[in-house]
Amino acid sequence: RPKRTLYSKKYGVDLIRYTHAANTVVYSSNKIDDTIRYLSLHDNKYIRYFPGHTKRVVALSMSPVDDTFISGSLDKTIRLWDLRSPNCQGLMHLQGKPVCSFDPEGLIFAAGVNSEMVKLYDLRSFDKGPFATFKMQYDRTCEWTGLKFSNDGKLILISTNGGFIRLIDAFKGAILHTFGGYNNSKAVTLEASFTPDSQFIMIGSEDGKIHVWNGESGMKVAVLDGKHTGPITCLQFNPKFMTFASACSNMVRKMFQVPP
C-alpha cells in the first residue's frame, strides 16, 4: 500500500534510482532544467544538486558498491558523479544518444552509443577511453533505450523501442540472441530485465503481457498476463525475494511470484 507521496511539481520527475544511504534517491528532471537531484525521502528535502547536462537525461545508473553514479543525456554526453560533490567527476563527449550502466561489481561501466556501439570503460581510467568496443549493425527502425548487465556480469541486455531486444556476451560483444515476438508498434520505451539468477530475460509489451525467454537457449518459455491496461514501461525484480513488479503507463502494478 502507498506509504507517502512526495511531489516534485516544479522540476518534474523522470528516472529515479535508490542510493546506498537509507531513504534517499537521485532522480532526473523533465521541467525547468536537466539538473539531477539528490533527495531525502525521510524529510522530503534536497541534499544536493548535480547541474551540467543541457538536455534531457535518458540514462541514470547508481554504482552497486559506492556513492558513484553515471548519467547519459541527449546532449550527447555521459557524466560521472559522486554523491558527496555537486561537481562532475568525469565527462565524455559522444557522437550520439547514450545509454549506460554499471557492471555488478562497480568496476566498469558500459555505454551504448548511437544505437550501434557498446563501449566498456574501466572506472579507474575512463579518461583514457574504452578498453573494449563492440560494434553492432545499425537498425534504422528503432533506437536503443536501455542497457543492463546480468548479475553474474557475463551478459549485457540491450533494450530498444522497436519489436526486439538483444543479448550479447559482455566479454566478446558477440550477439547471443535476439528476442522478439512481442507488441510494440508505437515505439514505446519498454523496460527489459534479467532474473536475479541471470538465466531468464523478460520484457513487457504494448498489450500488457510479459514475455520470458531462456537466456541460454534463446527459447521463449512463458507469456504472463498481468491484466495491464497499457504498455508495460517498468519491470523490476526484488533483489531479496523471488518476486518482481510490473507497471504500465496507467500505474497499475502487479506483483508476481517466480515459480521454482
Side-chain angles (χ1 to χ4, degrees):
R1 64 180 184 269
K3 294 182 69 174
R4 291 185 68 192
T5 300
L6 305 177
Y7 292 99
S8 184
K9 293 182 178 181
K10 180 179 179 181
Y11 303 115
V13 181
D14 194 3
L15 306 175
I16 308 170
R17 302 290 182 262
Y18 276 104
T19 73
H20 300 291
N23 294 315
T24 59
V25 297
V26 288
Y27 73 89
S28 62
S29 310
N30 53 17
K31 295 180 182 178
I32 298 183
D33 59 24
D34 300 286
T35 296
I36 298 168
R37 291 172 168 83
Y38 183 20
L39 176 69
S40 168
L41 301 177
H42 174 69
D43 50 14
N44 196 23
K45 291 183 178 180
Y46 291 113
I47 302 171
R48 192 160 288 115
Y49 300 88
F50 303 97
H53 285 301
T54 57
K55 291 186 178 179
R56 184 167 64 93
V57 174
V58 293
L60 195 59
S61 178
M62 191 76 210
S63 167
V65 296
D66 58 27
D67 288 336
T68 306
F69 70 96
I70 51 176
S71 58
S73 165
L74 293 180
D75 63 13
K76 299 181 181 179
T77 66
I78 288 178
R79 290 176 181 263
L80 179 67
W81 310 88
D82 189 306
L83 284 175
R84 296 164 293 187
S85 170
N87 300 316
C88 175
Q89 306 294 300
L91 173 63
M92 283 158 284
H93 292 276
L94 307 170
Q95 298 301 312
K97 172 188 172 181
V99 289
C100 53
S101 181
F102 277 100
D103 82 317
E105 295 181 346
L107 298 175
I108 68 173
F109 64 88
V113 184
N114 211 28
S115 299
E116 63 178 348
M117 200 177 301
V118 176
K119 299 184 178 219
L120 300 183
Y121 295 83
D122 188 314
L123 192 62
R124 296 158 295 187
S125 56
F126 65 89
D127 55 324
K128 297 180 181 178
F131 65 84
T133 298
F134 309 138
K135 190 165 175 48
M136 317 270 167
Q137 184 174 356
Y138 180 69
D139 191 319
R140 294 181 180 274
T141 65
C142 63
E143 62 180 13
W144 294 359
T145 56
L147 186 151
K148 289 184 180 181
F149 280 90
S150 59
N151 280 347
D152 61 11
K154 297 178 180 179
L155 305 168
I156 295 175
L157 181 61
I158 299 171
S159 305
T160 75
N161 63 356
F164 68 91
I165 53 178
R166 284 208 171 105
L167 185 68
I168 69 171
D169 185 294
F171 299 101
K172 299 178 181 179
I175 298 175
L176 302 176
H177 298 292
T178 298
F179 304 115
Y182 58 91
N183 297 329
N184 192 15
S185 63
K186 297 179 181 178
V188 178
T189 298
L190 304 170
E191 185 176 16
S193 287
F194 287 100
T195 52
D197 60 8
S198 306
Q199 292 189 37
F200 299 93
I201 291 94
M202 53 179 57
I203 190 171
S205 64
E206 192 176 66
D207 59 6
K209 292 183 172 62
I210 298 168
H211 297 250
V212 188
W213 294 269
N214 182 298
E216 185 173 353
S217 69
M219 299 293 293
K220 185 174 286 187
V221 295
V223 178
L224 307 176
D225 189 359
K227 307 296 183 184
H228 284 285
T229 57
I232 297 175
T233 54
C234 183
L235 192 63
Q236 292 279 336
F237 269 86
N238 187 310
K240 294 183 179 180
F241 303 102
M242 291 297 285
T243 58
F244 67 94
S246 57
C248 74
S249 54
N250 298 324
M251 299 308 293
V252 179
R253 291 189 175 91
K254 307 285 182 181
M255 290 298 296
F256 292 89
Q257 179 75 36
V258 180

